Amino acid sequence: MTLTCPSGATLTEAEAFLDAHPEIEAFDIVLHDSNGIGRGKIIRRHELLSIYKSGRHMPISILGLDICGEDVHETGLIWDQGDGDLRAWPIPGTLKALHNTTPPRGEVFLSLYELDGHPMTSDPRHALQRQVDLLAAEGLRPAGAFELEFFLLANDRGPDGKVQPARDVLDGRHSRKTEVYSVDHLHGMLPLFSDIYAGAEKAGIKAETLISEYAPGQYELTLHYREDVMQAADDLIRLKRIVRAQARAHGVTACFMAKPVEEYAGSGMHFHVSLQNGKGDNVFAEKEEGRWTDTILHALGGMRATMAESMLVFAPHANSWRRFANQSYAPVSTNWGVNNRSVALRIPAGDIRARRIEHRPSGVDANPYLVATTVLAAIRHGLANRIDPGPETTGNGYAHDEGGDMPRDWRTAIEAARQSAFLKDALGEDMHRTFTAVKAAEYARVNRTVSELDFDLYLHTV
């Protein structure tokens, strides 16, 4: 049976890919849940065309899972729906060859639709597309890019039971120092990074600058700016898979926890965003440097006004909240500034034509589709209501308490998100219910767990 593909993917695309890649034997078919975790199947080569012809049935519960892959009944996506099947369809342009796989494999992203072809609105991609469409109705197109920070860790824990930086894959050298911006330090990981760049190239991702970051074993990769913000989110989530796979191939572990090492800074996922009009002009760009447009100021105002109730999207896990500490390069306030890394919303220095806002609260453990969704909705909110962002923060942003009602822990963030009319509108009612229910279930799981720290603090003392 051949149906009309609601995502716009065509059979011609799949046929051309198979013709160009006769060596590929199998494909990862991947859709992403509220945590940004890729869930799906591995299919054989001969099965690919059928997905483009008629989609692939997937259980509705696949979007109602927590971080451990357990059902969260409060999402309404499990037995309330009889755990029935919906239809997943391939996303145009996401069919790619994977690097360094034996036997050779490919990959394609899917999105979930109702059986009648309407978007399944607990799918994060549909939430982001809705915000893109709303901006398009206003004559605006969002562009952007994410930064990827991560740790490369040894597969084995240290003598103290804690994670430790990976040895260089080139010669086995082991550094426990903060090698921030050290070029020589990068050389020891070049075989791994060469494979990462090769994987990115096969995937059509323009991975760019590589740096050694502000903790032992921590690195950052920047991504080329995209005029299509959905593609920017795809780049980030696909690059995480590439980094994880190539790290494993080289005998080390890629870690995307927000805060894996207590003594050092955590890993962020900064989102750079701008808006273009119908002519392709950047509407954030001022005519004279430093004389900000109302557009960029109102966008900042909307992002500031909605940040507190949106923090669960930017810091979705228990570990996420360990990243926020003074002078740790993670923002603890809603402030904004120019060329200042101590604020939450930064206008980077540089060419006026490339004017953008760097949104800095998100950890690398966040879902980029939901981060982009929430940021775009906040920008729309600021533009519609002409919100003043307040004065620019200069100097040490950590010295100024401008957090307002910013949540200080995971539980408070969950409650703020649950009650937020803005976030419900931004994500859509179904995505909001799914996301907050999953987070509440994960909070309950963590809260009932008796950890080693509990025994260390209390076993012999109370």
Side-chain angles (χ1 to χ4, degrees):
M1 177 175 61
T2 302
L3 304 174
T4 300
C5 177
S7 70
T10 65
L11 184 61
T12 302
E13 178 186 354
E15 290 172 335
F17 186 90
L18 291 175
D19 288 343
H21 297 278
E23 77 284 0
I24 290 182
E25 298 183 13
F27 293 88
D28 296 357
I29 60 172
V30 187
L31 60 83
H32 296 93
D33 68 9
S34 63
N35 277 315
I37 294 173
R39 302 193 186 275
K41 305 178 181 182
I42 298 177
I43 63 170
R44 306 306 296 170
R45 178 186 178 92
H46 69 271
E47 298 179 88
L48 181 68
L49 294 183
S50 68
I51 293 178
Y52 281 77
K53 290 177 181 177
S54 53
R56 185 76 175 234
H57 283 117
M58 294 277 192
I60 191 173
S61 59
I62 200 169
L63 294 180
L65 305 176
D66 68 8
I67 195 72
C68 298
E70 299 286 347
D71 290 341
V72 178
H73 297 278
E74 292 78 7
T75 62
L77 301 179
I78 316 299
W79 299 124
D80 290 4
Q81 306 280 345
D83 197 18
D85 281 345
L86 298 184
R87 188 172 277 116
W89 290 94
I91 304 302
T94 65
L95 181 57
K96 305 291 183 181
L98 294 174
H99 174 67
N100 200 20
T101 56
T102 304
R105 294 199 331 277
E107 173 185 71
V108 63
F109 286 177
L110 308 178
S111 198
L112 204 59
Y113 290 81
E114 304 287 349
L115 295 179
D116 64 3
H118 284 86
M120 196 283 170
T121 47
S122 287
D123 185 319
R125 289 187 68 96
H126 294 317
L128 176 52
Q129 188 61 54
R130 176 171 165 268
Q131 291 300 327
V132 171
D133 291 343
L134 288 169
L135 282 167
E138 299 169 14
L140 297 169
R141 183 178 65 195
F146 289 90
E147 297 175 8
L148 180 67
E149 295 180 356
F150 58 95
F151 282 79
L152 293 175
L153 303 175
N155 292 338
D156 298 323
R157 302 288 181 91
D160 58 0
K162 297 182 180 179
V163 296
Q164 54 183 338
R167 293 182 179 274
D168 289 353
V169 299
L170 185 64
D171 56 17
R173 292 177 58 188
H174 200 191
S175 173
R176 295 181 179 272
K177 295 185 294 183
T178 300
E179 304 274 9
V180 64
Y181 283 99
S182 169
V183 176
D184 288 344
H185 176 64
L186 295 175
H187 292 171
M189 289 293 184
L190 279 183
L192 167 54
F193 284 115
S194 293
D195 274 331
I196 290 171
Y197 280 119
E201 184 176 2
K202 272 194 174 182
I205 298 171
K206 295 182 179 179
E208 297 185 329
T209 305
L210 170 68
I211 66 172
S212 178
E213 261 288 357
Y214 202 64
Q218 188 185 34
Y219 301 87
E220 178 187 279
L221 271 170
T222 61
L223 289 161
H224 186 72
Y225 212 73
R226 295 288 199 180
E227 293 189 356
D228 179 348
V229 78
M230 183 73 78
Q231 193 171 30
D234 284 345
D235 283 352
L236 189 285
I237 211 155
R238 196 189 296 271
L239 187 59
K240 285 176 74 172
R241 294 196 79 216
I242 291 169
V243 171
R244 182 177 283 118
Q246 299 311 317
R248 178 180 291 178
H250 284 271
V252 300
T253 297
C255 175
F256 300 106
M257 290 172 62
K259 181 79 168 178
V261 184
E262 59 195 50
E263 296 91 351
Y264 294 98
S267 293
M269 189 182 70
H270 304 159
F271 179 39
H272 295 251
V273 62
S274 60
L275 295 178
Q276 297 178 352
N277 62 21
K279 299 177 181 178
D281 298 325
N282 181 357
V283 298
F284 282 175
E286 67 271 26
K287 293 182 179 178
E288 181 181 339
E289 187 163 3
R291 296 179 65 87
W292 312 116
T293 65
D294 286 345
T295 308
I296 198 169
L297 290 175
H298 294 153
L300 287 164
M303 292 159 82
R304 288 199 70 192
T306 59
M307 189 178 296
E309 60 201 290
S310 305
M311 278 304 297
L312 185 63
V313 173
F314 312 140
H317 305 293
N319 181 259
S320 307
W321 291 87
R322 305 193 194 285
R323 175 172 161 259
F324 297 98
N326 284 345
Q327 300 179 29
S328 65
Y329 290 94
V332 294
S333 175
T334 67
N335 50 11
W336 74 278
V338 181
N339 195 22
N340 186 338
R341 287 183 171 83
S342 67
V343 297
L345 303 169
R346 171 179 175 251
I347 299 179
D351 190 333
I352 289 175
R353 293 170 297 180
R355 188 64 73 212
R356 63 195 186 276
I357 299 171
E358 180 187 11
H359 180 273
R360 297 175 58 82
S362 297
V364 75
D365 56 343
N367 182 334
Y369 299 113
L370 296 186
V371 169
T373 299
T374 306
V375 170
L376 295 185
I379 290 173
R380 290 183 52 248
H381 178 71
L383 297 181
N385 295 284
R386 302 183 64 81
I387 298 176
D388 185 341
E392 171 194 348
T393 294
T394 59
N396 183 2
Y398 295 114
H400 306 281
D401 185 8
E402 301 170 21
D405 57 354
M406 283 280 279
R408 298 300 180 185
D409 57 58
W410 194 26
R411 179 180 180 180
T412 308
I414 292 171
E415 289 306 312
R418 273 177 160 173
Q419 297 170 19
S420 171
F422 162 78
L423 198 60
K424 181 179 290 187
D425 180 67
L427 301 181
E429 186 173 349
D430 291 338
M431 185 73 252
H432 177 266
R433 182 192 65 251
T434 298
F435 180 66
T436 55
V438 167
K439 294 298 110 183
E442 291 172 357
Y443 176 81
R445 178 188 292 272
V446 171
N447 208 38
R448 66 176 176 259
T449 300
V450 180
S451 69
E452 285 300 317
L453 179 62
D454 289 300
F455 293 116
D456 183 53
L457 291 176
Y458 310 121
L459 180 62
H460 300 294
T461 56
V462 294

